[in-house]
Each structure stands twice: as C-alpha cells, then as structure tokens.
Amino acid sequence: MGRRAVRPGLESTAGMKRLKRLIDDIVFTIKEYRFQNFEVVGILGKNGSPACGVTRTWLDNRQQDGQGVFIRELKKRLTLEKLDIEVLGVADHQQDKCIEWLEERLKEE
C-alpha cells in the first residue's frame, strides 16, 4: 500500500474503529505484562510513517514533522490509562540510536 492511501484510510470511521480495537489489545497486553511484574520499557515507532511516525510522518504527499495516526491515537490512550511509557521514533538511517536507547533503558533495571 502506498503512503498516500494509509492516512486517509486510518482516519476514516472504519479505520479509526480498527485502530481502537488494536489499541485496546495493546493496552490490555501492557497491563497484563505489568500485572505479571514485567516492565514495558518503551514503544518504538517508525519515523516517516503515516501510521507509526512518532516525530516525523507522511502528510500532504511529503515527510514532515508530526505523528502518524496510529501513534497519535495510541499516545492519547496511554495518557488516558495513565500508562507512562516512552515512545521513541526510529528512522531507517538511525537504527543504532534506537539500540543505544534500548540498552540504556535496560541498564536502568
């Protein structure tokens, strides 16, 4: 699927309904992990994505600052549920930074 079709599809009524179900499952899973005494150290999103961009997204036929639809809705829900979990955007050319970020989070434990 091309990037142009993703955002309008996700922001449609049907798309938002599907996102809500997906986010419901993710929130349930995070709560279950925590109940079992696991810590969720973070959530990774792919910067530049119309769905999963954290600080960069695809909008108006170009990559620009902003959030993808899925990440935007997930972060709203995490806030509503009082789940303080950092969300990191990863660009294809900066995967080493992501690994460093994860290693730092794991050292803190």
Side-chain angles (χ1 to χ4, degrees):
M1 199 158 56
R3 290 182 181 199
R4 289 183 179 105
V6 173
R7 183 175 290 271
L10 290 175
E11 290 183 325
S12 71
T13 302
M16 292 300 282
K17 226 169 138 174
R18 287 186 183 99
L19 280 181
K20 183 187 178 314
R21 286 196 309 262
L22 181 58
I23 291 168
D24 287 347
D25 288 345
I26 291 169
V27 167
F28 175 81
T29 301
I30 290 169
K31 288 179 175 182
E32 283 296 305
Y33 277 136
R34 286 186 167 182
F35 179 75
Q36 298 294 331
N37 294 315
F38 288 94
E39 182 180 354
V40 177
V41 297
I43 296 171
L44 303 176
K46 185 185 180 316
N47 271 339
S49 165
C52 296
V54 177
T55 58
R56 301 278 299 162
T57 190
W58 187 264
L59 179 63
D60 298 330
N61 295 319
R62 65 183 177 89
Q63 194 178 128
Q64 58 183 287
D65 291 343
Q67 294 180 333
V69 180
F70 172 72
I71 289 296
R72 180 189 72 213
E73 297 303 314
L74 176 60
K75 287 177 80 173
K76 284 180 191 175
R77 182 67 182 279
L78 292 173
T79 299
L80 184 69
E81 298 285 339
K82 297 182 179 16
L83 295 170
D84 185 25
I85 301 171
E86 190 170 352
V87 181
L88 176 72
V90 180
D92 289 339
H93 64 282
Q94 294 178 324
Q95 292 177 10
D96 290 343
K97 287 184 182 181
C98 171
I99 292 168
E100 291 171 12
W101 181 83
L102 285 170
E103 287 173 343
E104 286 300 313
R105 296 309 159 292
L106 295 175
K107 282 181 194 174
E108 294 171 3
E109 301 308 308

